[in-house]
Amino acid sequence: MDNNDELTISKLAPLIRRRKVSPVELTNFLLKRIDRMQPFINAYITVTSEIAISQAKQAEKEITKGKYRGVLHGIPISVKDLFHTRGIRTTAGSQILKKYFPKENAAAVDRLLESGCILLGKTNLHEFAY
C-alpha cells in the first residue's frame, strides 16, 4: 500500500473480496496518513478513528465468512461534513453548528454504510457549502 496510485476502488475492491487486502490494515494505513497530513492540509473536520476501525473489523469478518456485500464492502470513505451522520458531529463548516450531533444519517450515508463502506471521517468545506 505504499503506492498511492493503487488506492482506487477499482483496484482495491477485488483485492479485498479475494482477501489479498485487509479492510483493517487498509483503514489503519489511511488513518495514519490522515493523522500525518491533517496538520498541513486540514482536510478533515472530524476523524472517526474508533468507528472506522470497528467497521473495518466487521467488514473483514463478513468478507471472511463469504458475506460480501459488493464493490464498496471494506472500502474506507469520507463524507463532507454537510451530510448528517448519526451521533457524529456535523457542522457544515460553520461555528454555529459546532455542537450539532444529528439523530439520523442522511440517506446517502445510510446507503454507503449499508454497502459496507468504512467511515474515516467528515471532510472540511466552505461554510454551508457556499
Side-chain angles (χ1 to χ4, degrees):
M1 280 185 267
D2 293 331
N3 185 350
N4 290 337
D5 295 338
E6 301 300 314
L7 297 178
T8 64
I9 293 172
S10 63
K11 290 182 181 180
L12 286 170
L15 295 174
I16 289 171
R17 183 177 190 175
R18 293 192 314 263
R19 297 189 301 257
K20 302 287 185 194
V21 170
S22 157
V24 174
E25 289 176 9
L26 177 60
T27 299
N28 282 321
F29 170 79
L30 292 172
L31 288 170
K32 286 177 186 170
R33 186 165 78 175
I34 290 167
D35 189 50
R36 188 176 67 249
M37 299 303 296
Q38 179 65 7
F40 304 104
I41 61 175
N42 194 31
Y44 285 82
I45 291 178
T46 303
V47 178
T48 56
S49 300
E50 291 179 19
I51 292 168
I53 291 167
S54 175
Q55 290 172 339
K57 288 177 180 177
Q58 181 65 33
E60 191 162 304
K61 186 186 304 181
E62 290 172 357
I63 293 166
T64 299
K65 291 181 178 180
K67 296 178 181 176
Y68 185 68
R69 299 187 205 179
V71 295
L72 295 178
H73 199 180
I75 299 291
I77 63 158
S78 299
V79 297
K80 284 288 184 197
D81 196 41
L82 194 62
F83 289 93
H84 283 202
T85 45
R86 180 179 33 254
I88 302 170
R89 184 172 64 136
T90 300
T91 70
S94 176
Q95 286 296 311
I96 295 169
L97 297 174
K98 68 182 177 183
K99 294 183 181 180
Y100 177 59
F101 291 81
K103 294 180 182 176
E104 295 181 355
N105 287 330
V109 172
D110 273 339
R111 288 186 189 113
L112 288 166
L113 295 176
E114 288 166 6
S115 72
C117 284
I118 297 159
L119 182 62
L120 296 172
K122 310 284 296 285
T123 55
N124 212 342
L125 66 156
H126 289 287
E127 189 172 23
F128 297 109
Y130 178 71

